[in-house]
Amino acid sequence: MGVNIFTRLFRKRAAKKPGPAIDRPDSPKGKVIKDEALKSKKISKGLKENRVYLEDILGQNVDIVSREFRLGTGNKYAWLVCLDSLTNDAHISENILKPLMLENLMAGIDRLGGDVIEIIEKSILTAAEVRSKVYNMYDVTSSVLYGSAALFVDGYEEALIINLKDWPQRAVEKADVEVVVRGPKESFTETIGVNTSLVRRRLRSPNLVIEGFNLGRETNTAVTIAYLKGVVSPELLQEVKSRVNRIDIDGILEGNYIEELIQDDPYTPFPQIGFSERPDRVVSALLQGRVCIFTDGTPMVLYLPISLGDLLQSPEDYYARYHVATAIRLLRFLGLAISLLLPSFYIAVITFHQEMIPTQLLISIAASREGVPFPAVLEALIMELTFEALREAGIRLPRAVGQAVSIVGALVIGQSAVQAGIVSPLMVIVVAITGIASFMIPSYNLAMAMRLIRFPLMLLAATLGLFGVMTGVLAMLIHMAGLRSFGVPYLAPLAPLKISDLKDFMVRAPWWAMHKRPTELARRNERRIAPDLKPHTPSEGDVQESNLSLKEFGGLDAGKTSADGRSGTKGGGVGGDGT
């Protein structure tokens, strides 16, 4: 009875009409118009009609710049429209208004007998980028909203788009996520033009192609696809373009929007598309035959396809000697296993398999767990959730405060929990080692996936012991074996096995041994490096050949040496005077 009364009161309260200010809203100025209507609306010959139409769409914006003026001293009028927040006033004045309004240039424009639009484009405007033959309002509005100025001339069904973009942007700074000791330090910014220039600076090849288009019905976000002709697979490129072109969404604010809409399996926790903030890593992906996707407004660039091994590689692996890089890469694989399995293994052994523990260690563990009121699985869940909460708090707080909170919080809470008898000291050690191991994973997306999968494995360990852990691991491996990233197996080159690609999987072979690009990526132009570049100690024949080359170029004469052991020369070579 009470529930029914409460439900009726709740519904009555929820159905109450809003206040007078909300009940009678003022309609927003301007009309709502869709892209289809803009594309079908052609530019009119009448300047007034074009102005009224665009001002009805954009005129309510406070940053709109609308200027109608006369071309010189003639009888023709023009109209300029742009957004003050995205363009430079000085450039508009110097490159557009001043040349068009000068009497000595525009007084006789009617007597030239040519197309006024063509004369303005090729002889008068001093801007670097001018686009003509714009006949519909969609191109005009999209260009104006992207930072360009639109110029209409009375009597012409055409507009000129002048590129005068000048918006605030962050300078190129050091990489925050993918930090390296040796190698380039700069990272991408939120401006897509700066990001593509950073890539072109490193990859000065005419085969580098960057194709651009817009995504998002409302945001019209600039997106570009970059690839290397002659290296990328045509089938891969066609598939990427097909998936990206079918995206129909109101807005794209970050690359993850595109990632979730084009990936192969939408339900798996494992990342199927990589991202990077480093230009050198993106260039490396292009050289391997991958496709990269740049999104305006984010410093992260997507690259695809990927495999599990790619997510465990760091850019610094290729800047250090291969002995060190191999050791560190093997350490990362060990860290991946520890971060995934250590809590589950501890729970299974403590709960079901005590006979696997040495006697002295078992006695020590039993003594440390004496007085702990919770089973091992609940103890592990409490500590893991606490550690994840501290890690998340450290990320969200300001950097100066976040690091102190995460470190001090972990020490204080861990020590307090042990003293209160809620958890055992060994459990704190296990959780701490697991957290440290998860930080060793270079890919943030893969580390997040391991953090999520760790909890189901802990529950399996608490119910079925090591059998449950192995069942979960086998299920995960079977799932990954069936994953594809744009046709590339997720476990390549292990499944299917490619012996030649193992040189850059768990180990990093020296550069002179990696002759070919990855087999699954480069279906043509596979060879990457010459086969005879392995360094070796110079032999006697090499020395003689080198000396002969020096003699040909007037260098040192190896056949004659002076009494003091210094090499002599013939003619006027170096040291010919004995000095």
Side-chain angles (χ1 to χ4, degrees):
M1 183 66 180
V3 175
N4 293 334
I5 296 175
F6 175 78
T7 303
R8 287 197 296 269
L9 290 174
F10 181 78
R11 290 177 179 174
K12 183 177 180 181
R13 184 68 179 176
K16 188 177 180 181
K17 292 184 178 181
I22 303 177
D23 199 16
R24 294 189 299 274
D26 295 331
S27 59
K29 298 179 181 179
K31 60 181 179 180
V32 178
I33 191 166
K34 296 183 178 180
D35 291 345
E36 291 76 10
L38 287 173
K39 291 177 181 178
S40 61
K41 176 63 178 178
K42 302 297 182 181
I43 296 176
S44 173
K45 288 186 177 181
L47 192 64
K48 184 177 180 181
E49 181 180 349
N50 296 328
R51 181 170 183 175
V52 170
Y53 185 84
L54 278 181
E55 286 183 348
D56 193 24
I57 300 173
L58 304 174
Q60 65 271 22
N61 294 287
V62 70
D63 57 347
I64 193 75
V65 174
S66 176
R67 174 77 183 272
E68 185 174 342
F69 56 93
R70 179 184 296 174
L71 297 177
T73 58
N75 56 0
K76 283 199 175 293
Y77 286 84
W79 177 54
L80 180 73
V81 59
C82 62
L83 291 177
D84 180 60
S85 57
L86 300 179
T87 55
N88 188 297
D89 292 341
H91 291 171
I92 291 176
S93 176
E94 291 295 326
N95 299 323
I96 301 178
L97 295 178
K98 187 176 180 179
L100 291 176
M101 299 175 71
L102 284 176
E103 295 184 7
N104 57 347
L105 289 178
M106 299 301 303
I109 193 171
D110 292 332
R111 299 192 298 269
L112 293 177
D115 188 354
V116 174
I117 292 286
E118 184 178 358
I119 295 173
I120 292 175
E121 177 192 2
K122 296 183 178 180
S123 304
I124 298 175
L125 293 180
T126 59
E129 182 181 347
V130 180
R131 181 161 64 99
S132 60
K133 293 180 173 53
V134 177
Y135 300 106
N136 61 70
M137 288 299 182
Y138 176 79
D139 293 336
V140 173
T141 54
S142 60
S143 299
V144 169
L145 292 173
Y146 197 62
S148 298
L151 180 67
F152 297 84
V153 178
D154 192 21
Y156 287 87
E157 298 176 331
E158 181 182 351
L160 290 176
I161 303 299
I162 304 102
N163 184 5
L164 297 173
K165 301 183 184 70
D166 184 24
W167 47 49
Q169 62 184 27
R170 182 169 61 93
V172 177
E173 299 174 353
K174 288 186 177 181
D176 290 332
V177 180
E178 299 170 284
V179 181
V180 297
V181 176
R182 179 178 178 180
K185 307 297 182 183
E186 60 188 4
S187 64
F188 291 122
T189 68
E190 286 76 12
T191 306
I192 192 170
V194 175
N195 297 342
T196 53
S197 66
L198 289 174
V199 172
R200 284 201 178 275
R201 174 187 166 193
R202 288 168 172 80
L203 192 55
R204 302 181 182 93
S205 171
N207 294 322
L208 174 61
V209 180
I210 301 178
E211 299 182 8
F213 47 91
N214 294 336
L215 288 180
R217 294 190 300 269
E218 303 297 337
T219 59
N220 278 313
T221 305
V223 178
T224 59
I225 293 179
Y227 57 91
L228 200 60
K229 286 190 302 183
V231 177
V232 68
S233 170
E235 295 79 9
L236 170 63
L237 181 60
Q238 182 63 33
E239 182 65 22
V240 173
K241 289 183 179 180
S242 174
R243 296 190 190 186
V244 172
N245 287 329
R246 71 178 180 85
I247 295 178
D248 186 8
I249 190 174
D250 57 348
I252 299 290
L253 302 181
E254 212 275 336
N256 185 65
Y257 286 61
I258 302 176
E259 179 181 351
E260 290 193 16
L261 292 172
I262 65 174
Q263 61 185 356
D264 289 63
D265 190 343
Y267 300 108
T268 179
F270 296 100
Q272 302 160 70
I273 298 175
F275 67 87
S276 177
E277 63 173 346
R278 298 181 57 88
D280 57 331
R281 185 160 193 175
V282 171
V283 171
S284 175
L286 292 171
L287 291 172
Q288 290 177 336
R290 305 181 199 270
V291 178
C292 298
I293 301 177
F294 296 77
T295 307
D296 192 30
T298 175
M300 297 296 176
V301 175
L302 304 178
Y303 61 92
L304 53 95
I306 61 170
S307 62
L308 180 65
D310 298 324
L311 299 174
L312 291 170
Q313 296 175 3
S314 171
E316 199 169 20
D317 292 350
Y318 304 96
Y319 304 143
R321 293 180 59 83
Y322 65 93
H323 314 84
V324 179
T326 298
I328 295 177
R329 189 174 289 183
L330 292 174
L331 187 62
R332 290 198 200 107
F333 276 89
L334 178 62
L336 176 69
I338 291 176
S339 66
L340 181 65
L341 299 175
L342 183 58
S344 305
F345 183 79
Y346 175 79
I347 294 171
V349 170
I350 291 296
T351 307
F352 295 99
H353 310 284
Q354 296 88 350
E355 68 278 1
M356 297 177 61
I357 308 175
T359 304
Q360 294 296 329
L361 180 59
L362 181 60
I363 293 174
S364 176
I365 293 175
S368 65
R369 287 187 51 81
E370 186 177 1
V372 176
F374 304 113
V377 59
L378 186 56
E379 183 185 2
L381 289 174
I382 292 173
M383 289 305 300
E384 284 288 348
L385 291 174
T386 304
F387 187 85
E388 294 295 335
L390 287 172
R391 176 155 47 183
E392 190 68 16
I395 295 175
R396 303 292 167 238
L397 289 173
R399 179 171 299 182
V401 182
Q403 294 180 355
V405 169
S406 58
I407 295 173
V408 176
L411 293 174
V412 172
I413 292 177
Q415 183 66 24
S416 301
V418 172
Q419 291 180 353
I422 299 176
V423 297
S424 62
L426 187 57
M427 178 57 73
V428 176
I429 296 174
V430 169
V431 173
I433 294 176
T434 304
I436 293 173
S438 66
F439 290 136
M440 297 168 58
I441 302 175
S443 172
Y444 179 76
N445 279 355
L446 182 60
M448 290 294 295
M450 295 297 107
R451 288 161 62 181
L452 291 177
I453 299 173
R454 188 188 306 153
F455 290 95
L457 289 179
M458 291 165 60
L459 297 178
L460 286 173
T463 54
L464 300 175
L466 289 179
F467 175 76
V469 175
M470 295 307 300
T471 301
V473 171
L474 288 175
M476 183 183 69
L477 291 176
I478 293 172
H479 171 69
M480 287 194 294
L483 282 180
R484 295 290 186 275
S485 175
F486 286 82
V488 174
Y490 201 67
L491 294 181
L494 289 180
L497 183 62
K498 301 290 184 181
I499 302 296
S500 60
D501 292 347
L502 293 177
K503 296 179 180 179
D504 195 22
F505 182 60
M506 295 186 68
V507 300
R508 206 276 277 178
W511 276 113
W512 45 262
M514 294 189 291
H515 304 301
K516 296 183 178 181
R517 295 182 172 90
T519 306
E520 294 290 344
L521 295 176
R523 304 297 174 87
R524 55 178 184 171
N525 194 7
E526 298 180 359
R527 183 162 295 281
R528 186 175 188 180
I529 189 172
D532 55 349
L533 293 184
K534 179 180 179 180
H536 61 277
T537 304
S539 61
E540 183 178 353
D542 296 333
V543 174
Q544 293 177 356
E545 183 179 353
S546 176
N547 290 333
L548 288 175
S549 300
L550 287 173
K551 289 169 64 178
E552 291 176 0
F553 287 100
L556 297 176
D557 186 2
K560 294 184 178 181
T561 56
S562 59
D564 59 356
R566 292 180 297 177
S567 298
T569 60
K570 293 182 179 180
V574 178
D577 56 354
T579 58

